[in-house]
Amino acid sequence: MRMERTVVEIDGDYAVLRGADGEESRTALALLPDGLREGMRLIFENFEWRVAD
């Protein structure tokens, strides 16, 4: 399974992520890569998040 999301907002200990379909979800920053910033694109694959190339 592979998902791509964009960081829309960082809200305390959570990041708001938006998919291509416009759906938003909140994910704990502890599960995401260090140095995360709004506007970054992320990929979830093999149960891990990474920054898109």
Side-chain angles (χ1 to χ4, degrees):
M1 176 174 83
R2 177 184 164 112
M3 297 186 304
E4 291 191 32
R5 300 287 185 265
T6 300
V7 180
V8 177
E9 178 183 3
I10 297 176
D11 183 20
D13 291 334
Y14 292 87
V16 179
L17 306 179
R18 182 180 296 144
D21 60 359
E23 186 174 332
E24 292 186 356
S25 61
R26 293 171 55 89
T27 302
L29 288 176
L31 300 174
L32 300 173
D34 290 336
L36 195 68
R37 294 183 313 275
E38 291 177 3
M40 286 182 129
R41 290 184 324 123
L42 301 175
I43 296 173
F44 182 75
E45 192 171 40
N46 297 325
F47 300 100
E48 291 184 341
W49 286 100
R50 64 181 170 86
V51 176
D53 298 330

